[in-house]
């Protein structure tokens, strides 16, 4: 694999990072013990190292380039050593899942070393023969959530076997796009840039209109401490489809409404009054074309005011559906999410010197991030141990305290909540509220509200 320039949005994510604000995303994959004697931890560790080292993208690091001025490129790390990137950590005796989640939060606090390929794998083990987990950390410059799944899937037995068969058949690898454009493309690129200037102006106007000047300090927008806390929730995917058939809309609409209700429930449990304005979520949207490049970010997003002020779960879902329908009709170039599109139009120097300003502006645009990450539908395993759950983790923007990511696998919706540890020390209560809110919505839809599920009323 040769050298290729970072795409503009990737460069933006690279420069947005600081020690207190790491820009990596991740996932906590939990594996059940294999049938029989099980897999020895040393064998699993060596398997992870072998498979990670065989993924070409994971050998690439970021280096500055002379042209374009301010730009950077992916280059092969000539001193690559997989042992720097794949490590084993132990969980103390006790509840394995609680210990793994706590440890994963601590590991997510630590920035990736910028001189090396920007990723880490941690094998989190409990007792020999018991369940274990793998924490994956990838810098956001390396991939968005969808492409992170594509890159990280190489550690699984099924994907690794398919890749090995392709290599053995001599199937040629797709070469990376050179950072030097083909001269025959120059005329088309020039015409394209003229069109992009006009589009950038329109996107910029949308971003300005979406900004908020009246900023209120809440737990969701507390000053960043650099600490990280992780919590998880599990929802029944079959129940999700029952709700969808009864109420309409998309599965994502329902999950967004559940997040809104969970925030309302959590605020009430804290004894907090509801905010004067509903918290605003940034909901990422992939702009990736089928068959496109495996690496890099191709994102926009929608804005959604989460209706925490609505008392009825069905009304919250109705409001979310209506707002998302309006977003889709307007397209992904409107609102704060268009910042990602705008980043694609800027010169590398703008990202290098404008990153601090852009980072501080995030709070003016949205309060939290809520994203869905698609996973393969087929069963996956590692060293013969079946994957039982995969909790995605999104990065936190500067000045924001909560990011919620969701993925569906094995008949369950796995919810990963990442929070600033000091701003939201009770993140476990919010994770519990997600499960409670989902149960209440399901009960209302199926016509039998169960006792004990209704949320306490917020302070007025």
């Amino acid at each position: 694999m040769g050298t290729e320039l970072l795409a503009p949005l990737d460069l933006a994510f690279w420069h947005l990072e600081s020690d207190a604000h790491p820009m990596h995303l991740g996932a906590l994959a939990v594996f059940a013990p294999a049938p029989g004697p099980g897999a020895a931890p040393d064998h699993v560790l060596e398997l992870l190292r072998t498979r990670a080292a065989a993924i070409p993208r994971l050998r690439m690091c970021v280096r500055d380039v002379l042209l374009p001025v301010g730009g950077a490129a992916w280059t092969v790390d000539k001193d690559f050593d997989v042992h720097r990137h794949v490590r084993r950590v132990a969980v103390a005796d006790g509840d394995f899942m609680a210990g793994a989640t706590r440890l994963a939060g601590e590991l997510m606090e630590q920035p990736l070393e910028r001189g090396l390929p920007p990723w880490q794998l941690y094998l989190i083990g409990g007792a020999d023969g018991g369940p274990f987990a793998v924490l994956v950390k990838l810098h956001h410059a390396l991939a968005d959530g969808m492409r992170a799944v594509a890159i990280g899937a190489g550690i699984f037995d099924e994907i690794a076997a398919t890749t090995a068969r392709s290599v053995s058949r001599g199937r040629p690898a797709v070469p990376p796009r050179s950072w030097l454009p083909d001269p025959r493309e120059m005329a088309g690129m020039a015409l394209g840039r003229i069109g992009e200037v006009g589009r950038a102006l329109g996107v910029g106007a949308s971003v300005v209109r979406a900004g908020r000047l009246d900023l209120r300090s809440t737990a969701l927008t507390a000053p960043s401490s650099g600490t990280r806390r992780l919590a998880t929730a599990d929802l029944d995917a079959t129940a999700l489809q029952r709700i969808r058939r009864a109420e309409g809309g998309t599965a994502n609409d329902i999950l967004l409404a559940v997040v809104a209700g969970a925030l309302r429930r959590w605020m009430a449990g804290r004894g907090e009054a509801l905010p004067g304005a509903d918290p605003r979520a940034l909901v990422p949207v992939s702009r990736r074309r089928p068959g496109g490049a495996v690496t890099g970010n191709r994102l926009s997003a929608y804005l959604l005011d989460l209706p925490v002020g609505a008392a009825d779960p069905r009304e919250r879902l109705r409001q979310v559906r209506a707002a998302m329908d309006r977003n889709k009709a307007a397209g992904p170039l409107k609102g704060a999410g268009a910042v990602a599109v705008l980043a694609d139009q800027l010169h590398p120097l703008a990202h290098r010197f404008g990153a601090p300003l852009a980072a501080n502006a995030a709070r003016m645009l949205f309060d939290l991030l809520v994203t869905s990450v698609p996973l393969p539908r087929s069963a996956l395993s590692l060293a013969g141990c079946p994957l039982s759950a995969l909790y995605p983790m999104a990065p936190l923007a500067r000045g924001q305290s909560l990011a919620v990511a969701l993925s569906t696998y094995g008949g369950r919706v796995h919810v990963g909540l990442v929070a600033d540890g000091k701003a939201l020390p009770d993140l476990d209560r919010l994770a519990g509220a997600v499960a409670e809110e989902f149960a209440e919505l399901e009960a209302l839809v199926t016509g039998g509200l169960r006792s004990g599920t209704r949320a306490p009323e917020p302070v007025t």
Side-chain angles (χ1 to χ4, degrees), residues 5-33:
L5 280 180
L6 269 72
L9 185 53
D10 303 342
L11 192 63
F13 285 132
W14 187 249
H15 289 307
L16 281 170
E17 183 172 65
S18 68
D19 288 343
H21 303 93
M23 285 300 296
H24 50 254
L25 45 82
L28 183 65
V30 182
F31 296 87

Side-chain angles (χ1 to χ4, degrees), residues 45-270:
L45 183 64
E46 190 57 35
L47 196 61
L48 281 172
R49 287 173 172 164
T50 300
R51 290 178 178 174
I55 300 172
R57 175 56 51 176
L58 297 185
R59 291 175 170 267
M60 306 290 282
C61 58
V62 177
R63 297 283 187 265
D64 290 341
V65 296
L66 293 176
L67 292 174
V69 177
W74 293 107
T75 61
V76 175
D77 182 5
K78 296 179 181 179
D79 299 318
F80 177 78
D81 181 356
V82 73
H83 293 81
R84 295 175 174 173
H85 299 270
V86 184
R87 300 170 183 171
R88 181 184 176 192
V89 290
V91 172
D93 293 338
D95 185 334
F96 169 75
M97 193 61 206
T101 302
R102 176 193 56 78
L103 184 56
E106 294 174 359
L107 293 170
M108 288 296 286
E109 289 182 12
Q110 303 170 13
L112 294 164
E113 189 172 340
R114 291 173 75 85
L116 299 176
W119 63 275
Q120 289 282 343
L121 288 179
Y122 296 93
L123 174 61
I124 301 176
D128 287 354
F132 64 90
V134 175
L135 174 65
V136 183
K137 288 170 56 175
L138 295 172
H139 199 285
H140 211 336
L142 186 63
D144 53 30
M146 185 179 296
R147 289 303 146 187
V149 171
I151 293 172
I155 69 170
F156 295 112
D157 296 339
E158 296 76 10
I159 310 299
T162 301
T163 303
R165 285 195 298 270
S166 298
V167 172
S168 66
R169 293 170 185 167
R171 185 176 299 172
V174 177
R177 181 178 178 85
S178 170
W179 62 274
L180 290 174
D182 188 321
R184 293 172 295 180
E185 299 177 359
M186 292 299 290
M189 290 175 62
L191 291 173
R193 293 302 294 178
I194 293 173
E196 289 168 0
V197 170
R199 185 172 70 164
L201 291 174
V203 170
S206 297
V207 172
V208 171
R209 288 194 297 270
R212 300 169 299 174
L213 298 179
D214 183 17
L215 299 179
R216 296 178 176 87
S217 179
T218 69
L220 299 179
T221 56
S224 299
S225 69
T227 60
R228 292 291 180 269
R229 186 178 293 270
L230 172 66
T232 63
D234 293 272
L235 312 176
D236 184 352
T238 302
L240 177 66
Q241 293 305 318
R242 284 199 296 268
I243 297 171
R244 182 182 179 186
R245 287 193 295 269
E247 298 294 316
T250 68
N252 201 47
D253 293 341
I254 297 167
L255 294 172
L256 288 166
V258 167
V259 171
L263 287 172
R264 178 186 173 92
R265 189 182 292 260
W266 172 70
M267 291 173 183
R270 280 180 146 209

